[in-house]
Amino acid sequence: MKNLVKIFTIAALSAVSLISNGAGNNTAPTKSKTFEVGMYQSVNTLKMNVMIEKSTDKNLSVVLKDEKGNILYNERVTKGTKSYHGTYDLSGLADGKYTFEFTKGDEKVIKEVNLTSEAPTESSRFIAMN
């Protein structure tokens, strides 16, 4: 009886292991990213901060384009650089949509930036009650 319980337990654990590992699953494995991109705007400025972390030694290009696809800026992050931080001053650009493209081989990450000017508004007064 003990042998039967052991055999059943081993069979059940093997089945659970096969199911959790995706046995019989015909999906192709996903390709892992070899770089990550983060962007944020500096407070009260038109400067964009870009951070890139690479996991492989390959060149990566950073391209800034306007709505028409014209290249406004192009930079190469060399293969020996594992992490990169760049600041891009967008204050000289007209209102519109701009695209940052980060490309390494067949991998591409696209980040859009919209520049808009707001018309000045009248200041308002508010009353807060506690």
Side-chain angles (χ1 to χ4, degrees), residues 95 115-121:
D95 287 358
L115 292 179
T116 57
S117 298
E118 294 181 8
T121 59

Side-chain angles (χ1 to χ4, degrees), residues 94-109:
D95 287 358
K97 283 187 181 181
Y98 295 90
T99 305
F100 281 93
E101 292 183 4
F102 307 93
T103 308
K104 184 167 68 163
D106 61 348
E107 285 183 76
K108 183 182 269 190
V109 173

Side-chain angles (χ1 to χ4, degrees), residues 36-51:
E36 295 289 332
V37 177
M39 287 178 60
Y40 67 92
Q41 179 183 359
S42 293
V43 178
N44 298 324
T45 69
L46 290 176
K47 293 181 180 179
M48 291 300 297
N49 293 287
V50 174
M51 286 98 28

